[in-house]
Amino acid sequence: MWNLINTLANNNTKRNCAPSKLLVNSITVIDPKEICNTFNTYFATIGPMLADEIIQIFGNSSAALPNKPTDTVELTTFDQCTTLEISKIIDNLNPLCSTRIDGINTKSIECIKNLIVDSMYKCFNKLLNDGEFPNSLKIAKNVNTGLDIEVTY
């Protein structure tokens, strides 16, 4: 049956598709079985061989990573935020988001933006200058469960 199917489909499965010769380590191989065995050996060993090379190159962290810079910069202060930055953040809030933990939705914040920007500016800059982060700002609402999550450090 397969002979008939291959004949009708014009599949020439008996056709020899192996190369007539292969040059391996300066030696010419012409025996078809030896050529197949050479390919088999190559493809059976190339994966582990490449994996070993990766470990040798990247196994040592000092070889894989560039040298650390001698000049280290520490973040010790924050730049003051501006009323313009706060206004832009409020403008970019997603109006379709649900209410936050405080129950205020983004549409309400957008409506009173001009009334609260100056107070927010002073408040945020005081928090940055004092290095404080109030616990009430460490709480988020999980949108999937609706549960409040408090982040503590």
Side-chain angles (χ1 to χ4, degrees):
M1 183 171 126
W2 283 111
N3 287 336
L4 177 61
I5 291 172
N6 284 329
T7 304
L8 294 174
N10 205 11
N11 289 338
N12 192 0
T13 57
K14 305 261 188 219
R15 180 178 49 149
N16 185 0
C17 61
S20 58
K21 62 182 176 178
L22 187 64
L23 186 63
V24 180
N25 297 328
S26 302
I27 299 171
T28 303
V29 179
I30 55 172
D31 179 33
K33 286 186 180 183
E34 190 61 33
I35 291 172
C36 289
N37 286 335
T38 303
F39 275 116
N40 184 43
T41 301
Y42 173 79
F43 286 111
T45 59
I46 190 68
M49 184 177 70
L50 291 175
D52 288 342
E53 288 180 19
I54 292 171
I55 291 170
Q56 289 174 3
I57 294 170
F58 296 107
N60 182 356
S61 62
S62 62
L65 300 173
N67 294 333
K68 282 186 171 181
T70 54
D71 300 334
T72 56
V73 178
E74 292 184 13
L75 181 62
T76 55
T77 60
F78 288 99
D79 291 335
Q80 298 267 314
C81 64
T82 65
T83 54
L84 181 61
E85 289 174 320
I86 294 171
S87 183
K88 284 183 180 179
I89 290 170
I90 292 172
D91 289 340
N92 289 324
L93 291 175
N94 184 349
L96 302 177
C97 284
S98 62
T99 61
R100 307 295 188 256
I101 192 72
D102 54 15
I104 302 172
N105 64 29
T106 55
K107 191 67 173 168
S108 299
I109 294 172
E110 288 175 353
C111 290
I112 61 169
K113 175 180 79 170
N114 293 334
L115 301 172
I116 62 172
V117 166
D118 287 330
S119 297
M120 292 179 74
Y121 158 78
K122 291 174 187 171
C123 180
F124 289 146
N125 284 327
K126 179 166 177 30
L127 294 173
L128 290 173
N129 288 335
D130 295 348
E132 295 179 7
F133 199 78
N135 289 336
S136 61
L137 294 178
K138 297 178 185 177
I139 300 174
K141 183 181 276 189
N142 184 326
V143 294
N144 295 324
T145 63
L147 298 174
D148 299 341
I149 301 169
E150 184 172 347
V151 180
T152 56
Y153 293 97

